[in-house]
Amino acid sequence: MIESLVSRPGRPGWSRGVVPAAVAIAAVGLLTAAAAAENSDVAGSLKVLAHVRWAWLAACVALEVISIAAFATMFRQLLKAGRVRPRRSELLVTIYAANAMSVSVPLAGPGLAAAYLFRRFTRFGAGAAGACWTLLAGGVISTTAWVVVLAVGGLASGRTVALAITVPALALAVAVAVTIAVAARCPPARQVLENFMTQALTQGARLLRWPATDPKLALRAWVQRFGALRLPVSGWALALGDSLLNWFSDAAVLAVGVIAVGARVPWHDLLLVYAAGAGAQGLSLTPGGFAITEGVISLALVGSGMHVRQAVAAAVLYRLISFWFNAALGWLILLILQARRREARTAPQPALEPSAEPVPQTAPHAHELVLLHGQPGSAADWDAVLARLPAHLHAVAKDRPGYGASQRNAAGFTANAQVILDDLDERGVDAAVLVAHSWAGGAALLAARLAPHRVKAVVLLAGVGPGSVSIVDWLLAAPVIGPLAAQVMWWWTPWIARVRLAWLRGREGRPLDPGEHLSLQIWGEKHAGAEPRWRAFLTEQRALLSELAELEGALPSIGVPVLLLADPADQIVPIMTAQRLVSELPHARLRLISDAGHHLPRRAPGAVAEAIAAFVAALDENGRQRLR
C-alpha cells in the first residue's frame, strides 16, 4: 500500500534535486549569452518583445484567466454528481494552486497537484470516493478534449501524416469517453466493462510478468464507486465543453502572442504548434518544461514559416502568460490559503469508538508486544504509542527488513512473518501480541498462522486485506512504470519535504510534533538501510499483489483473537477491507477511530494505546474464564 514516499538513501537529498535546476540555470545562461551577441536571433527576439503592445498583453492575460476558469468549471460540473456545489471562487483558487504545483515541481508535480485536488475536494464535502472519481472523470474528459484539439489541428493543417494520427486518436478517445459515460449510468454496461478490464489486466500481467493476483476485487471496488456518480448527459456535455474551452483558450493565448509580436498567425498549423509545446511541457524534465517548451514552440513556429526572431518572441510571450503568470498567482494563492488555515479552528482530535465490553476489574498481567511499522516507515512511527502504553505491557518496535537499522533486504509477507518469529527466538520470548500497521498486517496474520502457539493475539491498524489493492498499486508494481515512478519520487520528494519542514519549524519556532504535517515528515525522513528505500518499497508492492491471495485464503484458519482498528474515512485502505477481515477471521472484532486517517500510530497514539490496553485486558479476562 502507498502510505507515503520517502528519501532515497546513499546520497544527500539535494544531490539529485539540483540536476533539473542546473539544467534550467544552464538554459538561462545560454539565453543570456545569446542575448549578449548583438547579431543573434535570440537577441533580436528580445528586441521584438520590448515593442509588444500592452493591449495585446492584456488580451493574453484575459484569455488565460478564461482558460483556468473553464477548467475549474469542468470540475464543478463533475462535483455536482456527488451533490457537492463549492463556490466558484473557492474552486478557482484551488485550481490555480494545484496548477502552480503541477507546473513548478519537476516530474512529481502532476502527482502532487492531484493529491492536493483530492484533499480540497474532500474538504468541499465530496468524500474520498467522490473526490477520487471526480479526478478520474476529469482526467478522461480533459484527455478527450485534448485529442479533439489535436484532431482539429490535424484537419486544419491538411497534412496527411497529421490526419493519419489525429483522426483515429479522436475516434478512440470519443469511444472510451462514451463507454465510461454509459457505464456510469448503466449497471449491465459496468459489468461488461469490469469483465473486459479484468481479462485485459490478467492477460497484460501474464505478458509483462507482473505479480500474478486477481484484479477483479480492485476493479469491482472502482467500478462500484464510479457507478455512484449521478451526472446527466447534459452534465457530461457541459463538462466536455468546459474542457474544450480550457484548451482552445490557452491555444488562443499563443495566437494573440504571435499577433502581439507583429507576425502573421499560421492558422493552419497553430493547433499542431500548440500541441507540440504542450507535449514538451508534459515531460516535466524541468519546472514547467522551462527552456524545453519555449524551444519546441519556437522550432514549430519556424517550421510553419515564421521568422526566427518573431517565433522566439511569441514563444517567450506565450510562456510568460501561461506558465509564469499562472505559477506566480498559484503560489501566492497557496500562501494565502496556508495563512487562513493557521487562523481556522483546530482539527477535531481522533476519538476511539466506545467499547460495549465490560472493563475487567482484576489486576493486569504482563505481556510482550511487538510493534510493526507500515510501508514505508520506521520504528519511530510507534514512539508516541510506546509513551502511552501501560507499564505492564512491554512493547518493542523494530525496523522491518528493508528499512532503517535493519540489515535485511525487503521481502514479502511470509518472509517478514518468519523474521518476526526469529526475533522472538533471539530475545527468548515464548509468545507475544503482534501490533501491525497497514502493510505489516499481512505479515502479522501469516505469523499467527505459521506459529499460533507463539502469537497470543494480533492488533491490526488499517491492515491490508481483501479489497485493499487499488489500480495505483498495480501500476507501482509494474516492471517498468513502478521502478521509474519510485525512483523519480525518491529523488525529488525528500528534498521538497525537507525544505518545507525547515520553513515550518522556523515559522513555529519549535520542533514539530510527530503527527504534525505527517506526510512531509515521512517523505523527508532520512534512511540508512541495507538497500535503497525505493527498492524496498517496490519489493513490498509486488509482494502485496503476489501474496495477497494467499493471505486471503489463510484468514479462516487464523484462530488467534484479532482486534482491527480503522478510520471509516481512511483514504489508503478502505473501511471495506476491515469489514471483510472481521467477517472472514474466526475471532475478530472492529473498533473505529474517527478523524485519524490512515496513519493511526502517529495521528491517534492515545486512542491506539487505549484500544490495545483494553484488548489485552480482555484477553486476560477470557483466559481466566476458560480456566474456571
Side-chain angles (χ1 to χ4, degrees):
M1 299 308 301
I2 310 169
E3 296 166 26
S4 52
L5 295 176
V6 286
S7 60
R8 178 180 179 176
R11 300 188 181 186
W14 52 267
S15 62
R16 291 194 180 267
V18 298
V19 174
V23 173
I25 292 171
V28 173
L30 289 174
L31 184 62
T32 304
E38 290 295 328
N39 296 325
S40 71
D41 289 320
V42 175
S45 70
L46 296 180
K47 293 179 181 178
V48 172
L49 281 174
H51 295 87
V52 171
R53 285 172 286 180
W54 285 104
W56 291 118
L57 188 63
C60 288
V61 172
L63 286 168
E64 192 60 36
V65 171
I66 291 172
S67 176
I68 297 295
F71 193 57
T73 305
M74 178 197 71
F75 278 116
R76 192 168 187 270
Q77 288 290 341
L78 295 174
L79 286 170
K80 289 180 181 178
R83 297 175 180 172
V84 177
R85 295 176 181 268
R87 292 198 301 269
R88 288 183 173 84
S89 58
E90 286 183 328
L91 199 51
L92 183 60
V93 299
T94 296
I95 295 301
Y96 264 112
N99 179 72
M101 294 182 185
S102 180
V103 301
S104 303
V105 181
L107 297 173
L112 291 176
Y116 178 78
L117 285 175
F118 181 91
R119 185 173 63 181
R120 291 285 292 178
F121 290 168
T122 55
R123 288 181 180 175
F124 292 153
C132 178
W133 288 108
T134 298
L135 288 172
L136 177 64
V140 171
I141 291 172
S142 186
T143 302
T144 303
W146 165 244
V147 177
V148 170
V149 172
L150 276 178
V152 172
L155 291 170
S157 70
R159 301 176 189 270
T160 305
V161 175
L163 289 172
I165 295 173
T166 57
V167 173
L170 174 62
L172 178 61
V174 171
V176 171
V178 170
T179 300
I180 292 176
V182 171
R185 298 175 59 84
C186 180
R190 286 202 300 273
Q191 183 63 46
V192 172
L193 181 62
E194 177 187 329
N195 294 336
F196 172 77
M197 291 298 297
T198 299
Q199 294 178 4
L201 283 175
T202 302
Q203 292 297 326
R206 186 177 296 116
L207 290 174
L208 298 175
R209 298 182 180 181
W210 285 14
T213 189
D214 185 7
K216 197 172 185 67
L217 282 175
L219 279 171
R220 182 169 298 166
W222 279 57
V223 170
Q224 287 173 349
R225 291 176 184 175
F226 194 67
L229 286 175
R230 292 292 181 265
L231 193 65
V233 175
S234 60
W236 288 102
L238 287 172
L240 179 60
D242 291 328
S243 185
L244 287 170
L245 180 60
N246 163 240
W247 287 113
F248 281 112
S249 297
D250 194 48
V253 175
L254 177 59
V256 174
V258 172
I259 296 173
V261 299
R264 182 180 61 84
V265 179
W267 294 110
H268 292 294
D269 297 327
L270 179 68
L271 290 180
L272 293 181
V273 172
Y274 171 73
Q281 180 176 337
L283 296 175
S284 297
L285 296 177
T286 57
F290 175 68
I292 298 174
T293 305
E294 287 85 345
V296 170
I297 293 176
S298 299
L299 290 174
L301 287 174
V302 170
S304 66
M306 191 179 298
H307 190 275
V308 174
R309 295 183 180 184
Q310 291 176 323
V312 173
V316 171
L317 180 60
Y318 165 72
R319 292 282 286 164
L320 283 173
I321 304 301
S322 67
F323 173 52
W324 292 107
F325 171 76
N326 283 340
L329 185 56
W331 283 112
L332 177 62
I333 288 172
L334 272 173
L335 292 175
I336 294 173
L337 291 176
Q338 287 291 331
R340 288 182 177 178
R341 282 184 61 191
R342 291 199 301 272
E343 297 172 359
R345 66 178 186 272
T346 57
Q349 292 297 314
L352 178 65
E353 175 192 53
S355 174
E357 296 183 356
V359 179
Q361 301 299 320
T362 55
H365 291 181
H367 288 275
E368 186 77 20
L369 271 61
V370 177
L371 309 183
L372 307 169
H373 65 79
Q375 173 227 19
S378 68
D381 290 347
W382 296 102
D383 287 350
V385 175
L386 288 169
R388 291 167 170 80
L389 286 173
H392 66 278
L393 299 180
H394 178 252
V396 174
K398 290 189 175 182
D399 295 313
R400 292 194 298 101
Y403 300 101
S406 174
Q407 295 306 306
R408 300 173 184 262
N409 289 333
F413 291 139
T414 304
N416 269 262
Q418 191 57 55
V419 169
I420 295 169
L421 299 175
D422 291 343
D423 177 67
L424 294 180
D425 290 337
E426 293 173 5
R427 295 192 290 121
V429 176
D430 294 330
V433 176
L434 304 184
V435 183
H437 176 232
S438 193
W439 189 97
L445 290 173
L446 286 185
R449 185 197 183 196
L450 289 172
H453 59 289
R454 308 293 305 279
V455 178
K456 296 179 181 178
V458 175
V459 180
L460 300 181
L461 285 65
V464 297
S468 61
V469 175
S470 69
I471 300 297
V472 177
D473 293 310
W474 272 79
L475 292 176
L476 287 175
V480 177
I481 300 174
L484 179 62
Q487 290 189 56
V488 165
M489 290 300 292
W490 257 266
W491 293 343
W492 285 103
T493 309
W495 179 76
I496 296 169
R498 289 168 193 157
V499 170
R500 175 68 173 160
L501 286 170
W503 182 82
L504 289 169
R505 286 192 292 266
R507 187 193 71 186
E508 299 293 336
R510 59 174 177 81
L512 299 176
D513 294 334
E516 287 185 286
H517 306 285
L518 180 58
S519 296
L520 290 175
Q521 292 203 49
I522 295 178
W523 288 7
E525 186 179 67
K526 298 288 186 180
H527 174 67
E531 59 184 338
R533 185 171 289 195
W534 69 266
R535 190 171 296 153
F537 176 81
L538 283 178
T539 299
E540 294 191 340
Q541 277 296 119
R542 290 171 175 169
L544 175 67
L545 269 68
S546 62
E547 298 184 34
L548 187 58
E550 177 189 351
L551 174 64
E552 293 174 5
L555 294 178
S557 64
I558 298 175
V560 303
V562 179
L563 171 66
L564 295 107
L565 302 177
D567 183 349
D570 190 339
Q571 298 171 3
I572 305 297
V573 176
I575 189 63
M576 175 187 70
T577 296
Q579 293 165 344
R580 288 277 302 277
L581 286 169
V582 168
S583 66
E584 297 184 26
L585 287 165
H587 307 289
R589 59 183 298 260
L590 171 64
R591 294 190 69 181
L592 302 178
I593 300 179
S594 60
D595 302 313
H598 180 67
H599 211 301
L600 299 175
R602 290 207 188 199
R603 291 198 186 276
V608 168
E610 178 186 345
I612 293 173
F615 176 63
V616 173
L619 291 178
D620 294 337
E621 184 66 20
N622 293 337
R624 278 188 290 267
Q625 290 177 359
R626 284 195 298 269
L627 291 174
R628 290 174 185 170

